[in-house]
Amino acid sequence: MHDEFPLDPELCHLNHAAVGPWPRRTAEAVSRFAEENARWGSLAYPQWLAVEQRLRERLARLIGAVSPDEIALAKNTSEALSVIAHGIDWRPGQTVVGIAQEFPSNRIVWESLASLGVTWRGLDLDASADPEADLIAMCDGNTRLLAVSWVQYASGRRLDLERLGAHCRAHGILFCVDAIQGLGALPCDVRRFQADFMVADGHKWLLGPEGLALLYVRPELRDTLTLRQFGWHMVEQVGDFDRTDWSPARSARRFECGSPNLLGTHALEASLSLIEEIGMDRIWSRLQERTAHLIASIEGRGFELMTPADPGLRAGIISFRIPGIPAEPLYRELMQRKVLCACRGGGIRFSPHFYTPVAMIDRAMEILDETLASRGSG
């Protein structure tokens, strides 16, 4: 397995919640694609499209969708959320319920609906002992949509999507899941979650490139979203360039207006092939072992754990604070010493993956100890 991740031995990569490294096979797939393009141009374009179809199939299996026709490929999570937000037929006075501490992509897009008379309301997650119950309580007769991240990017708090999805479906509320911090770390079943929409970029836990994202729309809702982008690729009669009459594709391809990102397609398809070979249950089991080890190391040092210790309330993100030590300068020092991490929510965020050696986690914590000692805080 380590052959797939030839990371520099001096690097402690604990930042999969930001940008994950490519597996070896992904780098090789991109190299082959580039060499083929340089040597033969687009002679193999039909084969490239076959890779794109395999990617849709892998993504459909990954999230539990019925068909690859349910999968659209967007440029990123923000674009996918914008397709949803500005495709819904809103009425003045309607509300969107979410979480106040969301990553900006899952807040700004809903706030942009204010000009339509739509209000976004955010739950203060830090003040909630039962976020699912509080989110449900915030939904009323004016709530058109509940939009949440599966896993919060700063605290690592995981939501019970089944509970939220069941409430939304029973009360006619649309349910939108930003799965970027869970997909590739946790087993996923979009139908069990009863999600109407799911989005996720490929460059974090999926170990793929930036610039390519999943957009899932429940088939029954596909025709209800007003299209805001148009082009040759989103029509049913794609490839019939002389045709003057057209209609949107019946599949989720209707949300893809122009030329596909085939470079990114080759990369993400290769990364997902590794994830499928290993299996999400095994990935999740190995990731739990690593996060539990990391939590024990953090708590053993007396640091303040920001992420829930309960395995049922977290995924791969482990965030913590050190009393009396500002997070930002500490983060910069760790990065200088090649501990790849993040500063989020006023704390240090570590995010190992299933393949991360436990010894790497231990080394990162030793470097943290050394850094604190050198600052006179050990």
Side-chain angles (χ1 to χ4, degrees), residues 87-136:
I88 295 172
D89 181 21
W90 298 97
R91 295 191 302 274
Q94 290 182 327
T95 65
V96 177
V97 170
I99 291 175
Q101 289 83 1
E102 281 282 6
F103 191 75
S105 296
N106 208 8
R107 170 179 50 81
I108 292 173
V109 67
W110 310 115
E111 291 176 332
S112 74
L113 301 172
S115 61
L116 303 178
V118 176
T119 302
W120 176 82
R121 301 167 59 205
L123 170 71
D124 182 357
L125 192 63
D126 295 336
S128 175
D130 188 343
E132 290 83 1
D134 291 339
L135 286 166
I136 289 171

Side-chain angles (χ1 to χ4, degrees), residues 251-295:
S251 70
R253 184 168 48 78
R254 63 171 45 214
F255 303 117
E256 305 170 13
C257 62
S259 296
N261 175 4
L262 290 174
L263 177 61
T265 292
H266 278 71
L268 186 55
E269 194 275 334
S271 295
L272 291 186
S273 75
L274 175 63
I275 288 175
E276 278 201 330
E277 285 177 18
I278 298 168
M280 282 309 310
D281 288 339
R282 185 180 174 202
I283 286 173
W284 175 224
S285 176
R286 290 172 64 90
L287 181 55
Q288 284 180 296
E289 293 171 358
R290 282 147 180 78
T291 52
H293 182 83
L294 179 54
I295 286 175

Side-chain angles (χ1 to χ4, degrees), residues 6 22-41 48 209 262-268 270:
W22 291 1
R24 185 187 299 275
R25 69 178 64 189
T26 302
E28 291 173 350
V30 170
S31 295
R32 286 194 302 270
F33 179 81
E35 178 62 26
E36 184 176 89
N37 203 317
R39 185 173 178 82
W40 297 105
W48 298 350
L262 290 174
L263 177 61
T265 292
H266 278 71
L268 186 55

Side-chain angles (χ1 to χ4, degrees), residues 72-95:
L73 301 174
K75 291 195 294 290
N76 46 57
T77 306
S78 297
E79 181 186 58
L81 287 170
S82 293
V83 168
I84 297 164
H86 290 275
I88 295 172
D89 181 21
W90 298 97
R91 295 191 302 274
Q94 290 182 327
T95 65

